[in-house]
């Protein structure tokens, strides 16, 4: 599973910015600011200390401010029996002061301040499967299935945030109605490039859409394509394997122009663990074989031993830093594209063994990772902690609920950090949403 980090296009808040320090209400912090700025300018070691202290202030002293319940069996428009059962929160999305919580059963609730302002299920048989907040036009896209067609087709709908604020979730409109998104059809959102990719199994065609106005840009026929990978500025088309090689094509994501076509050699008897594209670098890994990092311009290959680089369960590409995160067996590591291990984290053992990225958040500047982690004492009965670690150093700069266990951090199933408001949203398996802030 590959999760490309879309958060790099959000408005950034630098940890060491003056605004971040001035926003604190404590007068003593403001008095210390001139000394810290002077130390940062005059000493490199003090610079690192300044950044660390500022990060600690940014993420520390969080308190539980409010809680919300996504479960309301009396809501009139939720008719299906499983929609009326309590279910865990699997996805959180936020914009401004509005936060959306999606449950495993398919119910999506929107909250603002202390109130629930809407359920995003607009028909009695709608089961919402995924959320995407489109910053290009300030709207929420819901991806749903319906009982009417036996839950077999994905349907997308966009709703402007202003309608949701007014409690009018039915004020949106459907998207991609021309496409048949039955299995193996899909929809993929990429706000790094501002594009949406769909695959219509009925038409056997891929389609690229503009994320701002949802206009169709171009189509690609399914000519033995097994997978398409999206990277900044390009599409990688992976075709059916041909014995000892796999045909690959690189296209411009803007208009579908073919940029390069080539074959990558493979071991005939080994299955492919993954093929990924990141700018000009191609990552190829076969079972029990070395990781290959291929420069598609020069064809130069860097080999990383199979004992050093074990096949991860998931990736997150960090476009800002030209790095990538790997997740395996509750552990996180940072690699560069020279095949070097950059960071191992000092105190960042993930709580969930299945590497659920719903419990992971990467800041917009891609300098910090926030995760639901196991306690160092190994006590799993009291729940975990939410740890904030610096991606380049691996240092844990802050923890939430580091002291006594709290019920609000038990059975956590999803987290989201609103950088603009400096609020942490935590969902659990009982369908509860907790809001933490300083």
């Amino acid at each position: 599973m590959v999760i490309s980090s879309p958060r790099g296009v959000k408005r950034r808040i630098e940890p060491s910015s003056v605004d971040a320090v001035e926003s604190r209400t404590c007068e003593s912090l403001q008095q210390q600011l001139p000394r810290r700025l002077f130390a940062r300018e005059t000493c490199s070691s003090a610079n690192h200390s300044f950044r660390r202290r500022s990060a600690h202030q940014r993420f520390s002293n969080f308190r539980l401010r409010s809680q919300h319940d996504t479960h309301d069996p009396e809501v009139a428009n939720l008719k299906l029996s499983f929609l009326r059962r309590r279910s865990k929160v699997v996805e959180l999305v936020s914009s401004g002061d509005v936060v959306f919580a999606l449950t495993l059963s398919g119910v999506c609730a929107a909250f603002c301040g202390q109130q629930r302002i809407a359920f995003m299920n607009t028909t009695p048989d709608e089961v919402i499967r995924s959320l995407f907040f489109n910053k290009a036009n300030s709207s929420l896209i819901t991806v749903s299935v319906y009982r009417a067609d036996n839950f077999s087709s994905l349907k997308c709908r966009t709703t402007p945030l202003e309608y949701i604020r007014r409690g009018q979730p039915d004020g949106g409109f459907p998207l991609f109605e021309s496409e048949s998104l039955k299995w193996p059809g899909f929809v993929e959102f990429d706000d790094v490039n501002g594009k949406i990719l769909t695959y219509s199994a009925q038409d056997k065609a891929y389609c690229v859409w503009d994320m701002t106005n949802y206009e169709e840009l171009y189509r690609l026929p399914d000519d033995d394509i097994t997978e398409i990978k999206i990277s900044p500025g390009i599409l990688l088309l992976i075709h059916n394997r041909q014995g000892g090689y796999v045909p690959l094509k690189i296209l411009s994501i803007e208009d579908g122009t073919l940029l390069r076509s080539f074959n990558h050699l493979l071991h005939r008897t080994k299955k492919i663990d993954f093929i990924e594209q990141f700018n000009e670098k191609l990552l190829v890994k076969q079972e029990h074989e070395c990781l290959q990092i291929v420069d598609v311009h020069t064809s130069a290959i860097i080999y990383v031993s199979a004992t050093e680089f074990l096949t991860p369960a998931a990736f997150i590409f960090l476009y800002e830093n030209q790095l990538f995160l790997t997740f395996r067996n509750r552990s996180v590591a940072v690699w560069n594209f020279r095949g070097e291990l950059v960071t191992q984290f000092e105190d960042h053992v993930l709580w969930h063994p299945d590497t659920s990225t719903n419990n992971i958040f990467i800041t917009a500047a891609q300098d910090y990772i926030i995760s639901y982690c196991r306690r160092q004492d190994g006590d799993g009965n009291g729940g975990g902690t939410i740890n904030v670690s610096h991606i380049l150093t691996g240092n844990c700069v802050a923890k939430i609920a580091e002291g006594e266990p709290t019920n609000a951090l038990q059975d956590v199933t999803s987290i989201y950090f609103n950088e603009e408001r400096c609020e942490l949203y935590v969902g659990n398996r009982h369908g509860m949403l907790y809001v933490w802030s300083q």
Side-chain angles (χ1 to χ4, degrees), residues 167-178:
Q168 299 174 327
D170 55 352
F173 56 89
L175 300 173
F176 320 128
E177 292 184 284
S178 62

Side-chain angles (χ1 to χ4, degrees), residues 7-78:
R7 300 186 175 102
V9 296
K10 285 187 178 179
R11 187 177 68 85
R12 298 180 188 173
I13 303 175
E14 295 295 338
S16 58
S17 68
V18 175
D19 289 342
V21 179
E22 289 181 341
S23 65
R24 309 295 179 252
T25 59
C26 179
E27 183 177 355
S28 63
L29 291 182
Q30 294 180 353
Q31 293 171 347
Q32 295 171 20
L33 180 59
R35 292 197 301 272
R36 293 185 180 180
L37 290 174
F38 178 77
R40 180 180 65 173
E41 296 300 328
T42 57
C43 177
S44 60
S45 62
N47 184 23
H48 174 75
S49 177
F50 175 88
R51 290 196 301 268
R52 181 158 184 167
R53 285 196 300 266
S54 298
H56 183 74
Q57 292 157 12
R58 178 185 177 188
F59 295 111
S60 295
N61 301 317
F62 273 66
R63 299 290 182 267
L64 181 62
R65 302 301 182 185
S66 62
Q67 64 183 55
H68 307 280
D69 196 346
T70 62
H71 180 244
D72 188 348
E74 302 306 317
V75 175
N77 66 332
L78 300 179

Side-chain angles (χ1 to χ4, degrees), residues 241 243-244 265-271 286 289-290 292:
R241 180 174 178 170
L265 297 179
L266 299 171
H267 292 274
R268 287 180 173 271
T269 60
K270 301 293 181 69
K271 76 178 186 70
Q286 289 187 258
E289 294 296 328
C290 295
Q292 298 181 36

Side-chain angles (χ1 to χ4, degrees), residues 303-353:
Y303 295 91
V304 185
S305 169
T307 58
E308 294 180 27
F309 187 93
L310 301 177
T311 301
F315 293 86
I316 293 181
F317 288 126
L318 305 176
Y319 297 111
E320 297 291 333
N321 298 326
Q322 300 290 303
L323 301 169
F324 61 97
L325 297 172
T326 59
F327 300 84
R328 179 183 171 90
N329 297 334
R330 290 195 171 100
S331 297
V332 189
V334 184
W335 298 78
N336 62 28
F337 289 91
R338 296 186 298 274
E340 300 165 339
L341 181 63
V342 175
T343 309
Q344 287 183 309
F345 295 92
E346 63 182 13
D347 181 12
H348 211 94
V349 179
L350 302 179
W351 179 271
H352 295 282

Side-chain angles (χ1 to χ4, degrees), residues 254-437:
E254 295 301 326
D255 55 13
T257 301
L258 179 64
L259 302 177
R260 188 172 181 200
S261 178
F262 60 101
N263 298 326
H264 184 78
L265 297 179
L266 299 171
H267 292 274
R268 287 180 173 271
T269 60
K270 301 293 181 69
K271 76 178 186 70
I272 299 174
D273 286 343
F274 62 81
I275 298 177
E276 298 295 336
Q277 178 79 25
F278 181 92
N279 292 339
E280 75 280 3
K281 303 297 184 181
L282 183 71
L283 276 61
V284 182
K285 178 78 167 63
Q286 289 187 258
E287 186 178 27
H288 306 309
E289 294 296 328
C290 295
L291 168 68
Q292 298 181 36
I293 303 176
V294 184
D295 189 308
V296 297
H297 294 312
T298 66
S299 299
I301 301 178
I302 295 173
Y303 295 91
V304 185
S305 169
T307 58
E308 294 180 27
F309 187 93
L310 301 177
T311 301
F315 293 86
I316 293 181
F317 288 126
L318 305 176
Y319 297 111
E320 297 291 333
N321 298 326
Q322 300 290 303
L323 301 169
F324 61 97
L325 297 172
T326 59
F327 300 84
R328 179 183 171 90
N329 297 334
R330 290 195 171 100
S331 297
V332 189
V334 184
W335 298 78
N336 62 28
F337 289 91
R338 296 186 298 274
E340 300 165 339
L341 181 63
V342 175
T343 309
Q344 287 183 309
F345 295 92
E346 63 182 13
D347 181 12
H348 211 94
V349 179
L350 302 179
W351 179 271
H352 295 282
D354 62 354
T355 318
S356 171
T357 51
N358 290 328
N359 293 286
I360 297 166
F361 185 92
I362 308 295
T363 56
Q366 299 181 352
D367 49 358
Y368 293 96
I369 178 172
I370 306 172
S371 307
Y372 184 51
C373 296
R374 300 184 69 85
R375 294 176 179 271
Q376 281 190 308
D377 58 16
D379 180 15
N381 295 326
T385 58
I386 294 180
N387 295 7
V388 183
S389 296
H390 193 275
I391 287 178
L392 293 181
T393 67
N395 295 329
C396 183
V397 300
K399 289 187 181 182
I400 294 177
E402 186 175 8
E404 293 298 319
T406 171
N407 292 334
L409 288 178
Q410 288 185 327
D411 303 315
V412 170
T413 54
S414 187
I415 66 172
Y416 187 96
F417 185 64
N418 185 322
E419 296 187 68
E420 183 178 359
R421 296 176 60 84
C422 202
E423 290 182 339
L424 177 71
Y425 309 125
V426 178
N428 70 12
R429 72 181 182 92
H430 304 292
M432 299 298 296
L433 170 65
Y434 297 95
V435 180
W436 298 72
S437 64

Side-chain angles (χ1 to χ4, degrees), residues 1-4 186 188-190 193 195 197 206 208 218 220 225-239 246-253 259 272-279 281-285 312-315 317 319:
M1 176 174 62
V2 176
I3 311 295
S4 60
F186 64 84
E188 181 175 347
F189 304 98
D190 173 40
N193 293 293
K195 302 293 187 292
L197 176 67
Y206 297 87
V208 177
Y218 56 90
L220 300 171
I225 298 174
T226 60
E227 198 169 1
I228 291 183
K229 302 289 186 177
I230 303 176
S231 187
I234 60 175
L235 294 173
L236 173 68
L237 276 55
I238 305 173
H239 292 268
V246 56
L248 302 171
K249 291 179 181 177
I250 297 177
L251 277 59
S252 166
I253 199 168
L259 302 177
I272 299 174
D273 286 343
F274 62 81
I275 298 177
E276 298 295 336
Q277 178 79 25
F278 181 92
N279 292 339
K281 303 297 184 181
L282 183 71
L283 276 61
V284 182
K285 178 78 167 63
F315 293 86
F317 288 126
Y319 297 111

